[in-house]
Amino acid sequence: MIKEFKALKGKGHTPTLLAAFLYFDFSFMVWTMLGPLAPEIAHSIGGLSASQISTILALPILGGAILRIILGFGVDNLGPKKTALIAQTIVASALWYAYFRGVDITYNELLAVAFSLGFAGASFAVALPQAGQWYPPNLQGVVMGIAGAGNIGVVIDFIFAPKIAELWGWPAVFLVGAILSTFIWILYLIMAKDANINTKKRTLKDYAKLLKDKDTWWFSLFYAVSFGGFVGFASYMKIYLMDVYGEDMAKFGLDFLKENNIKVIAGYFGALTIFAGAVLRPIGGAIADRMGGVKGLYIFYGVVAILTIINAMFTLPFFVAILVLFLIMANLGMANGAVFQLVPQRFAKEIGIMTGVVGCAGGLGGTALIKTLGWSKGAFNGYTEGFLIFAGVVGIALIGLSMVKTRWRTTWGISAGGRI
C-alpha cells in the first residue's frame, strides 16, 4: 500500500486533497453526532419514544442522501468550492441555533436541525469529486479513499460527545461543532482550489440520462450496501451496544476505567468498532487499485456477509462481539473505497453528478438499515432479524457483482485507465 501512497507525490494538488479530507471529516462528525447523543437528548427534553429516537437518527441520514444529489448538481454547475461553502454555512447555522436553544429545544425544532445536518452528510458529493478531479485514473482508488476517510469523524463523535455531554450538557457538543464549523469554513476557503478542467453544465436531463444507464443502478446498489451499512451501523451502534451488552460495559467501566456512566462507555466501544471502517477506506481503495475493484468487493462483501450472519445467529461473548463488529465495519469501510475506485473510471465525465447519485443511494441504504434495526428491536425485542436482512442484501450485492464483472471488464474497463 505504501507504493500507492508514494505515487501521489508530485501529482495533483495536495492542499485541496487535505482540505477535502478535513471538510469531509468534520462534516461526517456533524452528520452523525445525534447517534452518540440520542440517549442524552431524549432524557433531557422529557423523554422520547423509540420511534421518535429512530426518526431523529434516520433524518440526518435521509437528508444527506437527498441533498447529495442537489450538491452533486451544484458541483457541476457552481464548482465544488462554492458548493461546499454554501452547504457549510447552512450546517453552521443549524449548529449555532441548536446550541442557543439548548434544553428548551422542541422535538419539531430538533427534527429541523437534524435535517439541516444532512447538508454535512451531503459533503461527500463535494469533497470526493473536488479531490478526484486533480488526479489520474490509476490513482483514483487511493485519492478517493483519502478524501472519503473523513468518515473518521464519526469516531470522534463517539469518543468525545458523550463525555462532553456528561460534563457540560449536550448543548455544549453543538457549541463545539459550531465553533469548528466556522474554522473549517475559513480553512476550506483558503486551501481548496477547483481543478482547471472543462466541466459541462448539468441539467435535470443529465440526471435522467444517467438514471437510464443500468450501471448507475448497480453502483447505487453496491454503495447502498457498503456505505449504507457503515453509516447505518455507526448511527445505531451506541443504542445496540447499550441494549445488548449494557451489563458487560457497565462492569468494564467500573473495573478498568472507574467510569460509572454507561453512555460514555458505550461511546468508547462504539468508537472502537467504527474506527476500523473509517481509517481503512483508503486501504480499500488502494487494494482495489492493485487487484481491481470487483475482486476487492468480492472479498469485502463476503467477509461482511459471513460475520453478519454469525452475529445474528449466536449470542457472542462481549469482547468477541466487539471484534466481530470491528471486522464488519472494517470491511464495509474498505468496500466504500473499492466502490469509488470504480465509479470515476466508469463515469469520469459525470463524476460530480454520479457522486451525488451514488452517495444518495448510500444514505438511503443507511436510513433503511437504521429503520430495519429499530423494527427488529420493536417487533422481536432483538436484532437477529435485522442483521439477517442486511446479510441477505449483501448476498444480493455479491450476485450483482457476478452479473456485471465480465461486461465491465470487456467494455468500458478496457480503456478506463485503472484495474477493474
Side-chain angles (χ1 to χ4, degrees):
M1 299 305 106
I2 296 177
K3 179 181 178 182
E4 283 79 1
F5 286 102
K6 285 185 176 180
L8 295 176
K9 187 175 181 180
K11 303 284 180 63
H13 192 252
T14 302
T16 296
L17 181 58
L18 178 60
F21 166 77
L22 292 175
Y23 168 52
F24 189 46
D25 182 61
F26 167 79
S27 296
F28 207 101
M29 178 180 69
V30 170
W31 189 34
T32 57
M33 69 187 299
L34 292 177
L37 288 178
E40 288 85 348
I41 293 176
H43 176 76
S44 173
I45 65 177
L48 298 176
S49 68
S51 176
Q52 288 176 315
I53 292 175
S54 66
T55 299
I56 289 175
L57 293 178
L59 194 55
I61 311 303
L62 178 61
I66 298 170
L67 292 169
R68 284 181 178 197
I69 293 181
I70 297 175
L71 294 197
F73 188 80
V75 166
D76 284 327
N77 289 274
L78 299 176
K81 187 170 183 175
K82 287 182 180 178
T83 303
L85 293 175
I86 292 171
Q88 187 70 356
T89 300
I90 295 172
V91 171
S93 300
L95 291 169
W96 283 112
Y97 180 84
Y99 167 67
F100 284 116
R101 288 291 290 144
V103 296
D104 294 324
I105 196 169
T106 65
Y107 176 68
N108 288 333
E109 286 176 312
L110 194 58
L111 293 180
V113 170
F115 184 82
S116 297
L117 297 184
F119 278 93
S123 64
F124 172 90
V126 182
L128 268 68
Q130 171 134 45
Q133 286 173 358
W134 282 96
Y135 293 87
N138 64 310
L139 294 176
Q140 287 298 313
V142 66
V143 169
M144 291 294 192
I146 291 173
N151 55 29
I152 196 174
V154 69
V155 179
I156 299 173
D157 275 339
F158 276 81
I159 293 175
F160 295 106
K163 194 64 180 179
I164 292 174
E166 179 188 36
L167 295 175
W168 298 291
W170 63 262
V173 180
F174 283 87
L175 173 61
V176 173
I179 293 172
L180 287 176
S181 71
T182 305
F183 173 73
I184 293 295
W185 191 96
I186 296 171
L187 192 72
Y188 204 82
L189 177 67
I190 296 172
M191 294 179 61
K193 182 179 179 181
D194 291 343
N196 187 22
I197 60 175
N198 293 322
T199 56
K200 177 184 175 182
K201 299 295 183 181
R202 301 294 175 181
T203 66
L204 294 178
K205 291 183 179 179
D206 294 307
Y207 279 96
K209 182 179 179 181
L210 282 177
L211 291 177
K212 293 179 181 179
D213 191 319
K214 55 188 174 183
D215 285 345
T216 299
W217 295 97
W218 283 118
F219 280 122
S220 295
L221 168 63
F222 299 148
Y223 205 62
V225 171
S226 63
F227 184 77
F230 175 82
V231 74
F233 282 134
S235 298
Y236 211 88
M237 189 65 72
K238 183 173 180 179
I239 294 175
Y240 172 75
L241 291 176
M242 290 179 64
D243 280 347
V244 180
Y245 296 104
E247 293 183 4
D248 297 275
M249 290 189 298
K251 185 176 186 303
F252 180 88
L254 290 174
D255 292 346
F256 295 97
L257 301 179
K258 307 305 179 186
E259 172 65 69
N260 60 4
N261 188 340
I262 187 177
K263 297 174 184 176
V264 174
I265 301 302
Y268 291 157
F269 279 106
L272 177 62
T273 60
I274 297 165
F275 176 79
V279 301
L280 291 180
R281 180 171 181 145
I283 303 301
I287 291 173
D289 281 337
R290 177 172 294 185
M291 69 167 55
V294 171
K295 186 179 292 185
L297 285 173
Y298 267 121
I299 296 172
F300 303 142
Y301 283 162
V303 173
V304 169
I306 293 170
L307 293 180
T308 303
I309 292 172
I310 291 174
N311 192 70
M313 299 304 295
F314 301 97
T315 302
L316 302 174
F318 175 59
F319 285 105
V320 175
I322 292 296
L323 176 61
V324 168
L325 291 170
F326 180 92
L327 293 174
I328 288 173
M329 297 298 277
N331 281 275
L332 287 172
M334 289 189 288
N336 288 333
V339 172
F340 267 89
Q341 183 261 357
L342 294 168
V343 172
Q345 298 187 70
R346 173 62 179 86
F347 294 100
K349 295 180 180 179
E350 302 90 4
I351 184 59
I353 195 171
M354 271 304 297
T355 302
V357 171
V358 175
C360 174
L364 292 176
T367 302
L369 179 55
I370 292 171
K371 298 301 289 185
T372 298
L373 292 173
W375 164 81
S376 181
K377 173 63 177 177
F380 303 100
N381 196 33
Y383 296 98
T384 295
E385 289 75 12
F387 275 91
L388 286 177
I389 289 173
F390 180 70
V393 175
V394 177
I396 293 173
L398 284 167
I399 295 172
L401 283 171
S402 299
M403 294 173 64
V404 301
K405 65 178 181 180
T406 300
R407 176 173 62 82
W408 283 4
R409 288 169 176 166
T410 56
T411 54
W412 57 267
I414 296 176
S415 58
R419 299 199 67 176
I420 303 302

